[in-house]
Amino acid sequence: MSLPCETAHAQYLSFLLRVLSFRCIPGTMAVPPSYSDLGKAAKDVFSKGYGFGIVKLDLKTKSQSGVEFNTSCSTNTDTGKAGGSMETKYKMEELGLSLNQKWSTDNTLATELSVEDQLAKGLKVALNTSFVPNTGKKSGKLKTGYKRNYINLSCDIDFEGPVVHSAAVLDYEGWLAGCQIAFDTAKSKLVQNNFALGYKAGDFQLHTNVNDGTEFGGSVYHKVNGQLETAVTLAWTAGSNNTRFGVAAKYQLDSDASLSAKVNNASLIGVGYTQSLRPGVKLTLSALVDGKNFNTGGHKVGLGFELEA
């Protein structure tokens, strides 16, 4: 007969072997997403493929030298207000450098200079600036991020406050735990305090979050098969009896077309249809119907056109 201490020792050695074997199996280790990307799969089902009340045109091109140009223009069908932006992206892969510049019709020039995997493996440092020539207003932010297996960290300093934003996400065997805080150094006050917990498997994702102790939310994503994706979201605010609830689905009709639909507890029904007309040319049609006021009107339609060369 084995003694209790020998049995406990054997169980402990067995546990260590299981942990070591898990860490040594290729492909089991993964970098968790950033805090803002937690629950992204469900968010995409609810947001992508729609453009209610907007007519939009996107153009993406790339030069032989590797410079990317993204141009976007849109108009709001309700107000008639039009806007647009032009963005250039240049990367020097051998140095890990990236330079992005974006100009928008509200006369704002934004620039981002970043370096990745040079100072340390998994470390990215970026400097974001914006300038409004009409008013002379300037702003800047220093952003740092570090991601490795099981962990994703970020720390941003907004010079305008200055406010320090930091976040951390840990991953262990599919379980995700995250924290996001913001600290106003001028007021010595914590201005944001968010927590999240979730689970991610191959075809299933669960996400829950608490923002500032008052906003509670959750989402479930399920990829039923290669054609059908579904998502459910739930949100509630402390001190209020109003619970927000929504269901969405995306169905891939074929390799070139997909159909999206969603509905919430406010009886707002959204549908979207995306069709790839040819390589690099995509058309998106969408409509939002107010189920409670079907006869009074106020429904919205949207049209999107994407060109890529």
Side-chain angles (χ1 to χ4, degrees):
M1 295 179 62
S2 60
L3 297 176
C5 61
E6 293 177 346
T7 303
H9 183 65
Q11 291 176 347
Y12 178 68
L13 288 177
S14 176
F15 171 76
L16 286 180
L17 289 174
R18 289 174 58 190
V19 173
L20 290 174
S21 62
F22 168 78
R23 291 179 177 273
C24 293
I25 296 174
T28 58
M29 296 184 294
V31 176
S34 63
Y35 189 91
S36 59
D37 284 340
L38 290 173
K40 184 177 183 298
K43 296 176 187 176
D44 288 346
V45 177
F46 273 90
S47 60
K48 289 188 176 181
Y50 304 102
F52 308 129
I54 295 177
V55 178
K56 188 176 182 181
L57 173 64
D58 293 322
L59 175 62
K60 299 179 181 180
T61 59
K62 188 174 183 179
S63 68
Q64 294 182 351
S65 60
V67 181
E68 298 180 15
F69 298 91
N70 297 333
T71 305
S72 177
C73 57
S74 62
T75 180
N76 190 302
T77 57
D78 293 333
T79 63
K81 183 179 179 180
S85 64
M86 182 177 68
E87 182 179 9
T88 60
K89 298 181 179 180
Y90 180 68
K91 294 183 179 181
M92 300 178 65
E93 300 287 351
E94 64 279 4
L95 298 178
L97 287 173
S98 296
L99 176 63
N100 298 352
Q101 288 187 314
K102 185 176 182 178
W103 175 84
S104 58
T105 51
D106 59 1
N107 208 19
T108 299
L109 178 63
T111 304
E112 178 183 274
L113 178 63
S114 64
V115 57
E116 187 172 5
D117 292 332
Q118 297 299 308
L119 303 176
K121 186 66 175 179
L123 177 64
K124 181 178 180 180
V125 180
L127 178 63
N128 289 17
T129 62
S130 65
F131 175 62
V132 182
N134 290 344
T135 62
K137 182 179 179 181
K138 304 174 184 178
S139 64
K141 180 183 291 187
L142 178 64
K143 305 175 67 175
T144 60
Y146 180 75
K147 54 185 180 180
R148 299 290 288 173
N149 294 325
Y150 311 112
I151 191 169
N152 193 323
L153 305 174
S154 66
C155 184
D156 305 338
I157 301 176
D158 191 341
F159 300 129
E160 193 171 359
V163 179
V164 180
H165 302 263
S166 61
V169 178
L170 302 177
D171 178 9
Y172 181 72
E173 295 188 0
W175 289 97
L176 298 167
C179 175
Q180 182 186 56
I181 62 174
F183 184 77
D184 190 333
T185 58
K187 300 179 180 179
S188 297
K189 181 181 178 181
L190 195 65
V191 294
Q192 187 181 54
N193 191 13
N194 304 335
F195 295 93
L197 181 66
Y199 179 77
K200 182 178 181 181
D203 58 354
F204 173 81
Q205 294 186 30
L206 172 66
H207 171 68
T208 59
N209 67 281
V210 181
N211 295 343
D212 297 322
T214 58
E215 293 283 342
F216 301 85
S219 65
V220 177
Y221 167 83
H222 183 208
K223 188 171 185 178
V224 181
N225 51 47
Q227 295 176 297
L228 179 61
E229 298 175 71
T230 61
V232 178
T233 61
L234 182 68
W236 172 70
T237 303
S240 172
N241 294 325
N242 183 23
T243 300
R244 301 175 297 279
F245 178 81
V247 180
K250 178 183 177 181
Y251 185 75
Q252 195 72 31
L253 299 173
D254 53 42
S255 59
D256 297 325
S258 64
L259 181 65
S260 302
K262 61 181 178 179
V263 61
N264 61 17
N265 60 316
S267 298
L268 294 177
I269 305 169
V271 292
Y273 176 76
T274 302
Q275 174 72 53
S276 180
L277 304 178
R278 55 179 297 180
V281 181
K282 184 184 293 185
L283 174 68
T284 301
L285 303 172
S286 59
L288 180 67
V289 178
D290 188 347
K292 290 183 178 179
N293 305 289
F294 188 82
N295 296 324
T296 59
H299 314 302
K300 297 182 179 181
V301 296
L303 171 65
F305 203 56
E306 297 181 24
L307 301 175
E308 185 172 355

